[in-house]
């Protein structure tokens, strides 16, 4: 891997090569070394900067995006932020369709990048009004009016996403651990991170266990374990989980999968920031809960790697709102009540 330059001359050069951080509490509770890639240090604040860059570089290589053109994507937020920032740095306009249920923090973060944000109803993928379908139709209409003017990034089914994680994120984890890794686990939305990292690690050591930590309400754990897409419950986590098998997820080398309830994942978000000073969002709580499960599956002494996908402050109105948490029947730590008295 080419290291991050001492002085980046373009935004793209500042993406990736993130630190691998030992999670003290999770490690102590399992007798394993649980490590996490801190992806919030990317310029756009999340691991989706990698996805955005991989998709964009592939489009440029293939001539799918002309100079001054428009990037169009349907996203729960983070991929859109990455695309908008990279677009601004490379002279592209960005239009994003986004479910209106996403956090205000992410919606605002998109708007301040200069992206045009179109909020749409949150509906299942089978519904033609799903945000991804609306983005595709928008790009098609723009190209019909002005051929070659728009590019639909298609993060879910464009396998440049998975390929970029295989070439970068997975290789970084292997090099940072010196190949001493027993398992990797994370949640998935598009499937790019889990499939790409899994492929990279399995190519170097087929014995490394690859696991899916799936939020409640997603059908992917059921699919891995039974072959049936069946979802139960729900989750306050954003940007992860799915009701379908995307092109990026299809064929991912997954050995184990669990459905993770919010009652298991959200306390990890609170513990990370309050007891370790680690600012990590809701999907990161799912990932750490999955890492603990994988560590217990493999036994003491193993090394598990996961991902801290973004920062908790991107979901502050939910994760650190005592009234919201109580309404969802989630535990509210005493320190949070003191911090935000009602």
């Amino acid at each position: 891997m080419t290291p991050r330059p001492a002085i980046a001359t373009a935004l793209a050069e500042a993406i990736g090569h993130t630190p691998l951080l030992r999670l003290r509490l999770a490690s102590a509770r399992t007798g394993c070394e649980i490590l996490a890639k801190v992806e919030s240090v990317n310029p756009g604040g999340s691991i989706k900067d990698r996805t955005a860059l991989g998709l964009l570089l592939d489009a440029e290589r293939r001539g799918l995006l002309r100079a001054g053109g428009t990037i169009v994507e349907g996203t729960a937020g983070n991929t859109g932020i990455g695309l908008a920032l990279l677009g601004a740095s490379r002279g592209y306009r960005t239009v994003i369709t986004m479910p209106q249920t996403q956090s205000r923090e992410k919606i605002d973060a998109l708007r301040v990048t200069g992206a045009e944000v179109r909020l749409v109803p949150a509906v299942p993928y089978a519904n033609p009004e799903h945000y991804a379908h609306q983005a595709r139709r928008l790009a098609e209409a723009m190209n019909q009016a002005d051929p070659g003017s728009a590019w639909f990034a298609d993060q879910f089914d464009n396998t440049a996403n998975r390929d970029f994680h295989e070439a970068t994120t997975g290789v970084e984890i292997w090099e940072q651990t010196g190949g001493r890794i027993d398992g990797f686990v994370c949640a998935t939305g598009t499937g790019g991170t889990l499939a790409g990292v899994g492929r990279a690690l399995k190519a170097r050591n087929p014995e490394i266990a690859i696991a899916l930590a799936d939020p409640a309400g997603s059908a992917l754990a059921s699919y891995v374990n039974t072959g049936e897409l069946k979802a139960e419950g729900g989750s306050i986590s954003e940007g992860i989980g799915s009701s379908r098998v995307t092109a990026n997820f299809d064929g991912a080398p997954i050995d184990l999968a669990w459905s993770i309830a919010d009652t298991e994942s959200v306390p990890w978000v609170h513990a990370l920031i309050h007891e370790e000073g680690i600012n990590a969002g809701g999907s990161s709580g799912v990932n750490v809960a999955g890492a603990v499960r994988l560590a217990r599956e493999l036994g003491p002494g193993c090394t598990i790697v996961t991902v801290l996908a973004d920062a908790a402050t991107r979901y502050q109105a939910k994760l650190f709102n005592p009234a919201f948490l109580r309404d969802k029947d989630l535990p509210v730590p005493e320190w949070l009540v003191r911090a935000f008295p009602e």
Side-chain angles (χ1 to χ4, degrees), residues 6-155:
I7 298 176
T9 58
L11 187 71
E13 295 175 358
I15 293 173
H17 300 284
T18 55
L20 193 61
L21 177 66
R22 182 177 186 270
L23 303 184
R24 176 175 51 80
L25 287 176
S27 297
R29 291 180 189 180
T30 59
C32 294
E33 286 294 291
I34 296 185
L35 315 174
K37 289 283 274 179
V38 186
E39 294 297 312
S40 59
V41 301
N42 283 306
S46 84
I47 193 169
K48 293 296 187 175
D49 285 6
R50 295 182 186 260
T51 300
L53 180 58
L55 295 171
L56 187 53
L57 290 176
D58 179 72
E60 290 176 339
R61 280 193 298 266
R62 296 166 59 196
L64 302 178
L65 185 59
R66 74 186 189 196
T70 300
I71 299 167
V72 181
E73 180 61 316
T75 171
N78 282 335
T79 302
I81 293 167
L83 285 169
L85 292 174
L86 284 165
S89 76
R90 298 163 96 88
Y92 304 120
R93 176 172 168 255
T94 305
V95 181
I96 299 297
T97 61
M98 184 179 185
Q100 59 193 16
T101 53
Q102 299 305 290
S103 73
R104 174 54 55 185
E105 294 89 344
K106 282 198 292 188
I107 295 170
D108 290 345
L110 261 173
R111 285 178 168 152
V112 300
T113 66
E116 178 185 339
V117 181
R118 302 188 181 190
L119 296 176
V120 302
V123 295
Y125 185 80
N127 189 313
E129 297 309 306
H130 185 272
Y131 62 91
H133 301 318
Q134 293 207 43
R136 184 187 297 275
R137 290 198 301 270
L138 175 61
E140 290 171 349
M142 293 174 69
N143 283 325
Q144 188 171 25
D146 182 6
S149 62
W151 166 66
F152 173 49
D154 195 15
Q155 60 173 320

Side-chain angles (χ1 to χ4, degrees), residues 51-263:
T51 300
L53 180 58
L55 295 171
L56 187 53
L57 290 176
D58 179 72
E60 290 176 339
R61 280 193 298 266
R62 296 166 59 196
L64 302 178
L65 185 59
R66 74 186 189 196
T70 300
I71 299 167
V72 181
E73 180 61 316
T75 171
N78 282 335
T79 302
I81 293 167
L83 285 169
L85 292 174
L86 284 165
S89 76
R90 298 163 96 88
Y92 304 120
R93 176 172 168 255
T94 305
V95 181
I96 299 297
T97 61
M98 184 179 185
Q100 59 193 16
T101 53
Q102 299 305 290
S103 73
R104 174 54 55 185
E105 294 89 344
K106 282 198 292 188
I107 295 170
D108 290 345
L110 261 173
R111 285 178 168 152
V112 300
T113 66
E116 178 185 339
V117 181
R118 302 188 181 190
L119 296 176
V120 302
V123 295
Y125 185 80
N127 189 313
E129 297 309 306
H130 185 272
Y131 62 91
H133 301 318
Q134 293 207 43
R136 184 187 297 275
R137 290 198 301 270
L138 175 61
E140 290 171 349
M142 293 174 69
N143 283 325
Q144 188 171 25
D146 182 6
S149 62
W151 166 66
F152 173 49
D154 195 15
Q155 60 173 320
F156 291 93
D157 294 309
N158 182 344
T159 54
N161 173 356
R162 178 185 67 198
D163 295 344
F164 195 71
H165 281 290
E166 182 175 359
T168 62
T169 320
V171 176
E172 288 174 34
I173 290 170
W174 179 262
E175 293 181 347
Q176 286 172 308
T177 59
R180 293 183 293 277
I181 171 174
D182 299 290
F184 175 79
V185 57
C186 74
T188 189
T190 67
T193 302
L194 184 61
V197 171
R199 285 156 61 114
L201 295 177
K202 288 282 194 182
R204 288 160 174 79
N205 179 0
E207 299 303 312
I208 295 173
I210 305 299
L212 166 65
D214 205 30
S218 172
L220 295 179
S222 168
Y223 178 77
V224 171
N225 290 325
T226 70
E228 179 185 4
L229 284 164
K230 183 179 179 181
E232 294 182 356
S235 174
I236 67 170
S237 60
E238 297 182 16
I240 54 173
S242 182
S243 60
R244 70 183 183 99
V245 176
T246 66
N248 281 295
F249 186 82
D250 190 27
I254 302 171
D255 301 300
L256 298 156
W258 304 283
S259 180
I260 307 289
D262 286 347
T263 50

